[in-house]
Amino acid sequence: MKLFKKGKNQLDEMQEQNLRKLESWGFWLTWGALLLSIMIQMLIYKEEAGKYLKGEWIVFMASNLYMVIGCVRLGIWSRRGIPSFKSLCLISLLAGLVTGIFVAVYNYLIYGDVLTALATVILASLFTFVLCLLVLVVSVSAYKKRRQKLDSEGDEK
């Protein structure tokens, strides 16, 4: 017995648009909840967090990888953002600051030492900034190559 018919889409254009919006919100809600869950568990379990978070971390990173590869393959960067070096630096700076603050709170709760927490803010922020900027620059390069190839294929047709 077949539960789903393969073939014609049963939705009209409005239903299709609403379903896509629902799926998008569902993905981002799940992504944010998973990230928040990982962060909270790191604060609760402290040194033992690595034991408990492997599965969640794998799922989180797989969803990130899927979105990056999918967007680059389709030649999509963002609805509103422009892939300029200035915007990449701002995104990386924000990521570095958020990471630095989280790592400082995490280390303060584990070690109870303010100096250790402050030192990790600088190191974590700098490392995250550089890593994020590098990944974004490589992603923009791949996106631009793919966008150029898709545009040239469209012109040939």
Side-chain angles (χ1 to χ4, degrees), residues 18-20 45-46 58 83 88-89 93 105 109 115 119-120 128 130 147-148:
N18 288 336
L19 181 60
R20 288 181 190 265
Y45 295 121
K46 299 179 180 159
I58 290 169
L88 301 182
C89 285
L93 182 64
V105 169
L109 291 174
L115 290 177
T120 57
T128 303
V130 170
R147 184 77 254 159
Q148 191 176 30

Side-chain angles (χ1 to χ4, degrees), residues 46-61:
K46 299 179 180 159
E47 288 102 5
E48 299 153 4
K51 287 189 237 177
Y52 302 111
L53 294 176
K54 287 178 185 162
E56 288 171 79
W57 185 251
I58 290 169
V59 169
F60 182 72
M61 294 310 288

Side-chain angles (χ1 to χ4, degrees), residues 24-79:
S24 173
W25 276 98
F27 171 81
W28 288 112
L29 180 66
T30 304
W31 185 90
L34 190 56
L35 177 61
L36 188 61
S37 171
I38 289 170
M39 293 172 97
I40 290 170
Q41 287 183 61
M42 284 179 70
L43 293 174
I44 292 171
Y45 295 121
K46 299 179 180 159
E47 288 102 5
E48 299 153 4
K51 287 189 237 177
Y52 302 111
L53 294 176
K54 287 178 185 162
E56 288 171 79
W57 185 251
I58 290 169
V59 169
F60 182 72
M61 294 310 288
S63 69
N64 290 330
L65 195 60
Y66 174 79
M67 287 299 289
V68 169
I69 290 171
C71 287
V72 168
R73 189 174 72 62
L74 295 172
I76 300 168
W77 180 253
S78 171
R79 278 189 179 91

Side-chain angles (χ1 to χ4, degrees), residues 96-156:
L97 290 174
V98 170
T99 302
I101 291 167
F102 179 78
V103 168
V105 169
Y106 180 73
N107 282 334
Y108 180 73
L109 291 174
I110 289 177
Y111 302 113
D113 183 23
V114 176
L115 290 177
T116 303
L118 290 176
T120 57
V121 167
I122 296 167
L123 291 173
S125 297
L126 185 62
F127 179 76
T128 303
F129 171 78
V130 170
L131 185 63
C132 188
L133 186 60
L134 179 68
V135 168
L136 285 172
V137 166
V138 170
S139 297
V140 166
S141 175
Y143 155 76
K144 286 182 177 179
K145 272 186 177 175
R146 182 64 179 160
R147 184 77 254 159
Q148 191 176 30
K149 183 178 178 183
L150 290 171
D151 289 344
S152 68
E153 287 175 1
D155 292 343
E156 292 172 4

